[in-house]
Amino acid sequence: MARVNILIAGVGGQGIITAGKMIAEAGNYSNTKVLIAETHGLAQRGGGVNIHVRIGDVNSPLIPLGKADYLVGLEATEVLRNLNYASRKHTTIIINNYVVRPVLPKVRLLSLQEVLDKLKGCKVYVIDANQIAINAGNIKAANAAILGFLYSLGAFEGLISEESFIKALKYESNIKAFKIAQVIKINGIDINGI
C-alpha cells in the first residue's frame, strides 16, 4: 500500500485540526489507515497550529523531518516555520495567499512575496483558499478548499476516494469549496523553481 505524509500548518481558528479530522474521516469511509497528530500551543491566541497526517502504510502519527510529501500552509508564514519537515526536491508546497500579523510584538510581518522568495527551488502552488471559501458561501470552508486542491494534485490517489471526501465534508459550503478548488488547479499559480 502507498504512503502519503501531509503537514498542514496555519494559525488558530483557520480549521487546521478540522482539516485533519476531515481527512481521517474520509480515510475511514475509504477503509484507508489515517493517523493524525496535532500541535496547537497558543492556538486560541492566534498562535501556530500544525497537524501531521499520515495515510496508508504507516505506524507512527508523526512525520519524520524532511519526509513530508506535501506541506500545506493556510497561513503563508507558517510554511516557513514548518519547512524542516519538507525536502526541497520531493515536497510539494501549497500556500494560501494569506498572511497574518505575528502575535509577538516587534516581529516584522513578512509579505507573501518574501515568503515565496525563501522557497526558491521548491515546487510551490499558491491559491486563494479564502476567496474560494467566500465564493462557496462560507469563509470557514478555506480548509475544504485546500483539501480539494490537494486532491486535484493527486495527493490521495489510490488511498481516499472523492466520494469519501464528499461524505466527510458534510456541509454544502465545504463540498462546494472542495470542488471549486479542484477546478482552479489549472489556473493556480505554479511558481515551480523560483
Side-chain angles (χ1 to χ4, degrees), residues 18-95:
T18 301
K21 289 178 180 178
M22 288 174 182
I23 296 170
E25 190 170 339
N28 188 42
Y29 289 131
S30 285
N31 294 316
T32 299
K33 183 178 183 180
V34 177
L35 299 178
I36 59 174
E38 50 193 64
T39 305
H40 48 87
L42 294 172
Q44 290 183 333
R45 302 277 185 245
V49 178
N50 71 41
I51 187 158
H52 297 241
V53 180
R54 302 194 74 203
I55 305 168
D57 186 19
V58 294
N59 295 314
S60 165
L62 295 175
I63 299 169
L65 295 178
K67 298 294 183 181
D69 299 301
Y70 298 90
L71 175 56
V72 179
L74 268 99
E75 195 280 332
T77 57
E78 286 300 317
V79 166
L80 298 179
R81 287 188 186 92
N82 290 280
L83 202 54
N84 55 337
Y85 289 101
S87 159
R88 288 201 180 264
K89 291 183 180 180
H90 304 293
T91 303
T92 299
I93 299 173
I94 298 100
I95 297 178

